[in-house]
């Protein structure tokens, strides 16, 4: 017998994502992004994002149905991002998923966006080894997680105490007069630079900070250090070596992200590390994670870039895990919970 067919809906930030998953197989995956509408503001504008979801949702569902070769009537269960994310943006997806669940008379699962990011990898590499450690790095999140059961038992080991890693890329890009979103532009500029040219700070790595924040991250000090370094050059009337600044900044971020992730694996005796989120597209981060995992005897799982950024596939994948494990669906009055903790994988 076929596994149940799950429809996944994602709308927590600036991507409207709709996808179909059966078991661990992705059947159709469509993403409409409003990133271009935010570019001139240098960051996501919540009201613009909500409106864009409203306009994109129905056409995206239609395209996903066409791509999967399924109609909504074939759906066995619906999964939607319940949180965390932007309240107005989440509300569009949650309200639409409720309407579909009610009209089709199918169970609805409100799922956690962070757990869904981790679950995306199931679509590329099969069932997740459990326990596994997961590092999530995007414009909105930077979290180190211990996943004991992807559907029901995820523990946050640490997270950023200020900016997310992707946010730091975006802010430093602005200082270097590179376009938004900054990550890919910094990466390109860094190709011609020397990663050891400037020793930028690694946040929360001093012995004292490690006592309280061993698995937490901080990028605002790094951002300030870059700003100051650039301003000093400009004040002295010297040219700014953009490639060296970009490479040294990229190196500092990759170093601290991977160092703490490996430390977490060793502390918790976990042999597998999974990384995800938009910043995972960064080649230096991937290479450093691979080198350090190899040296520590940890196996690294990284989904393809399309599955690292926000999408409906990861939401459907987590819904599918919940259905496979026989978890109760959420109630039809489940909330759009902008600060849903990762320990809560499913809305009640
Ligand atoms: O996961 P994502 O698409 O959206 C959310 O934030 O949820 O991540 C976008 C973030 C942006 O901050 C962008 O600058 C960063 O990921 N990013 C990168 C790269 N590509 C995207 N950062 C570093 N290197 C990249 N190649
Ligand atoms: Zn995300």
């Amino acid at each position: 017998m076929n596994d149940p067919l799950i429809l996944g809906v994602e709308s927590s930030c600036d991507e409207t994502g709709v996808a179909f998953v059966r078991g661990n197989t992705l059947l159709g995956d469509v993403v409409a992004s409003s990133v271009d509408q935010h570019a001139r503001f240098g960051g996501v504008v919540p009201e613009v994002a909500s409106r864009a979801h409203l306009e994109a949702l129905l056409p995206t569902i239609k395209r996903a149905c066409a791509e999967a070769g399924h109609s909504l009537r074939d759906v066995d269960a619906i999964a939607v991002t319940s949180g965390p994310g932007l309240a107005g943006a989440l509300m569009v997806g949650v309200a639409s998923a409720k309407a579909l669940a009610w009209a089709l008379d199918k169970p609805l699962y409100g799922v956690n966006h962070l757990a869904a990011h981790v679950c995306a990898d199931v679509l590329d590499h099969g069932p997740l080894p459990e326990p596994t450690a997961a590092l999530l790095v995007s414009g909105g999140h930077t979290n180190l997680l211990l996943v004991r059961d992807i559907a029901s038992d995820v523990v946050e080991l640490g997270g950023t105490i200020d900016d997310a890693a992707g946010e730091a890329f975006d802010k430093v890009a602005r200082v270097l007069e590179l376009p938004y979103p900054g990550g890919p532009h910094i990466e390109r500029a860094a190709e011609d630079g020397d990663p050891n040219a400037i020793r930028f700070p690694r946040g929360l790595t001093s012995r004292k900070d490690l006592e309280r924040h061993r698995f937490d991250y901080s990028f605002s000090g790094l951002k300030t250090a870059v700003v100051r370094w650039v301003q000093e050059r400009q004040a002295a009337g010297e040219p700014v070596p953009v490639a060296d600044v970009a490479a040294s900044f990229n190196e500092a971020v990759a170093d601290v992200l991977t160092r703490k992730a490996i430390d977490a694996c060793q502390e918790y005796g976990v042999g597998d590390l999974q990384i995800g989120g938009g910043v995972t597209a960064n080649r230096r981060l991937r290479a450093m994670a691979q080198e350090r995992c190899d040296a520590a005897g940890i196996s690294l799982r990284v989904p393809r870039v399309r599955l690292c950024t926000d999408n409906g596939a990861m939401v459907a994948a987590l819904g599918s895990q919940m259905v496979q494990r026989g978890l109760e669906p959420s109630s039809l009055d489940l909330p759009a919970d902008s600060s849903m903790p990762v320990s809560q994988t499913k809305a009640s």
Side-chain angles (χ1 to χ4, degrees), residues 138-142 159-169 171-172 217-224:
S138 75
H141 10 269
T142 304
T160 179
I161 62 164
D162 41 56
D163 295 342
E167 210 177 338
F169 272 94
K171 288 178 174 172
V172 165
Y217 296 101
S218 165
F219 295 104
S220 91
L222 169 60
K223 175 199 66 191
T224 307

Side-chain angles (χ1 to χ4, degrees), residues 10 12 113-114 117 138 141 308-310 314:
E10 154 63 32
S12 69
H113 180 80
L114 305 180
H117 264 300
S138 75
H141 10 269
C308 284
T309 55
D310 288 352
M314 65 190 201

Side-chain angles (χ1 to χ4, degrees), residues 96-119:
S96 311
K98 285 179 183 175
L100 284 173
W102 186 76
L104 299 168
D105 195 20
K106 296 296 173 190
L108 175 64
Y109 291 80
V111 309
N112 186 294
H113 180 80
L114 305 180
H117 264 300
V118 180
C119 201

Side-chain angles (χ1 to χ4, degrees), residues 125-147:
H125 299 116
L128 213 60
E130 285 165 346
T132 203
L135 171 65
L136 280 186
V137 272
S138 75
H141 10 269
T142 304
N143 305 82
L144 205 42
L145 309 173
L146 178 63
V147 181

